[in-house]
Structures are given as structure tokens and as C-alpha cells.
Amino acid sequence: SAIPEVKLAAEFIEALKSATLDKSNMHPDDIICLREASPDFAMDIKDPNFLHDLGIFFSTTNSSRKTYEEIRRHALLRDPETPFLSFDQIKRRVETLSGVISIMHDMCIDTCIAFTGPYEDLEACPFCGKSRYEPDPLKPHKKIPRRQFVTIPIGPVIQA
């Protein structure tokens, strides 16, 4: 019978209708920036150190985070006095510059579903039964998603 599928579709539609920034996975600081965008820009985008780090960041976009951090580590070994932003610092600055941020969502380890809408509170996949989280041996009560995917909100992309 198609009744369960129709009910599930209706639940997803209702989740979309009631979606808000506050109920999204967006970082609270990103929500504030989106709501209170200021025409004043506090970042010096002509700073040669920033431009250097930005160039390295963009040059390594198809590489791992570790690649960026290794380049940074070696640069700091050569000249510890010259500032070199960490991966997280440069990523946040790129997000600030562009207004485009990424949002992480949990998904089934086997990619059966995304844990969103009617599935957002589930601890295991309703199709394959695999757990959403893996245990953290150091913090047993902490939930670490086994797999995630990224979305980028369309509003800031259009604004950028």
C-alpha cells in the first residue's frame, strides 16, 4: 500500500513548512551574521599574510585539511614570526568574506537516508538498521555521527 509513503511525504512537507534558521544545523554565530549583516567590513583583505594564506587555502581545496595544516606547519618552522592562519581560521574568514557557509547533516553510513525531517531524531537507519552514531571511547555520552554530508544555504549564495 502507498499509504505509509504518502504519510512520510506529508511529514517531510510539514518539516519544510516549519523550517527556520533556528531549527537548522547552522551555527548560531552564522545565523546572527545572516540576520544582522553589516555594510562595514572589518577584515583587511589587502593584508599580504592573509592573501598568502587565502592562496594556500584555495590551492588545497581538492586536498585534505591535513595538507593545508602540513603546509602551514612547514611555513611556521621556516619563519615562526610570520603569521599563518590555521585551517579553521582561514575557513571562517572565507565564510565571512563570501557570506556562504556550509551546514553539516548526519546521514546513514550506507547513504540510505539523511537524518532530517521525520528522521531527525532517529538513532538508527529505518532501512538498514545501522546506528547513526559511533561511540566515543573518551566521552561515552558524546554522539559522533558515523557519516555526514554538507549543504549550502541558497540565500547567502545569491547574496554573494
Side-chain angles (χ1 to χ4, degrees):
S1 168
I3 299 294
E5 288 87 2
V6 171
K7 285 182 181 177
L8 184 60
E11 289 178 41
F12 274 108
I13 291 168
E14 193 54 41
L16 285 170
K17 284 181 179 178
S18 64
T20 65
L21 288 174
D22 297 316
K23 290 197 275 183
S24 72
N25 287 355
M26 283 180 76
H27 190 278
D29 292 342
D30 294 329
I31 293 172
I32 291 168
C33 286
L34 190 60
R35 287 183 172 149
E36 301 171 8
S38 169
D40 299 330
F41 202 67
M43 195 181 308
D44 182 5
I45 58 173
K46 293 180 181 178
D47 173 47
N49 291 318
F50 170 71
L51 293 173
H52 171 266
D53 301 352
L54 184 65
I56 299 294
F57 179 78
F58 284 134
S59 297
T60 58
T61 54
N62 290 327
S63 304
S64 68
R65 173 189 187 124
K66 184 178 178 185
T67 300
Y68 178 90
E69 292 293 357
E70 281 298 305
I71 292 169
R72 177 179 182 264
R73 185 176 70 81
H74 285 284
L76 290 172
L77 282 173
R78 182 168 187 241
D79 184 4
E81 299 301 314
T82 301
F84 199 123
L85 297 170
S86 71
F87 182 86
D88 289 328
Q89 290 170 324
I90 192 70
K91 183 177 178 223
R92 286 302 283 171
R93 292 202 184 170
V94 167
E95 290 173 347
T96 300
L97 272 172
S98 67
V100 178
I101 52 103
S102 57
I103 303 174
M104 299 300 293
H105 305 275
D106 297 353
M107 66 186 296
C108 171
I109 189 78
D110 287 340
T111 68
C112 300
I113 63 155
F115 290 101
T116 62
Y119 299 142
E120 70 182 329
D121 296 325
L122 297 181
E123 298 280 325
C125 176
F127 295 97
C128 70
K130 292 188 178 170
S131 176
R132 175 180 184 168
Y133 303 106
E134 58 185 324
D136 183 343
L138 301 175
K139 299 176 184 172
H141 299 293
K142 184 176 180 184
K143 296 179 176 183
I144 301 171
R146 294 178 73 193
R147 190 169 195 166
Q148 293 186 306
F149 70 99
V150 176
T151 60
I152 298 173
I154 191 71
V157 173
I158 292 169
Q159 288 175 342

